[in-house]
Amino acid sequence: MTDCLFCRIVAQEIPSRKVYEDDSTYAFEDLDPQAPTHVLVVPKKHLPGLKEATSGDAEMVGRCHLAAAEIARQRGIENGYRTVLNVGPGAGQSVFHLHVHLIGGRQLHWPPG
């Protein structure tokens, strides 16, 4: 999708601070980090968000979470991190390409707010 910010980042048309890549996912540092580790993990295939996902997208969504777990291991934050999917504008989603926020490296409180 040519007008999608994250598709353009995956295609390397827009620079990012890449931290991980495999056949189906791409991960990069968030530009407005909310914790010492704040990485966005996106599928390479465009999907606007979780509410648009179908059962055929289950593997893609799962792979994003598995990539987040691998990055957490690499960064040594396995004792506590959060994966977050913001779904829709009311939840704070501002880029409509599914993405998992990996947040960690500090004490995380509940409820998140």
Side-chain angles (χ1 to χ4, degrees):
M1 178 170 255
T2 58
D3 62 339
C4 172
L5 174 65
F6 289 171
C7 285
R8 293 185 67 205
I9 288 172
V10 169
Q12 298 185 11
E13 296 171 8
I14 295 174
S16 68
R17 293 187 348 216
K18 179 173 81 168
V19 298
Y20 179 87
E21 183 174 14
D22 62 26
D23 290 342
S24 58
T25 63
Y26 185 89
F28 55 97
E29 300 284 351
D30 192 293
L31 290 177
D32 184 24
Q34 303 300 305
T37 290
H38 190 164
V39 172
L40 301 179
V41 182
V42 303
K44 288 184 174 180
K45 176 186 169 193
H46 182 79
L47 176 64
L50 189 61
K51 68 182 179 178
E52 290 82 13
T54 66
S55 60
D57 298 314
E59 183 177 350
M60 179 173 45
V61 174
R63 288 192 179 277
C64 287
H65 281 89
L66 291 174
E70 175 59 27
I71 296 163
R73 279 189 289 279
Q74 291 172 2
R75 295 199 171 191
I77 60 168
E78 292 176 282
N79 68 327
Y81 62 90
R82 190 169 286 155
T83 58
V84 177
L85 282 164
N86 295 325
V87 182
Q93 185 178 6
S94 60
V95 177
F96 294 91
H97 180 123
L98 184 127
H99 54 287
V100 173
H101 293 258
L102 168 63
I103 301 168
R106 67 166 171 81
Q107 183 66 44
L108 300 172
H109 303 285
W110 195 262

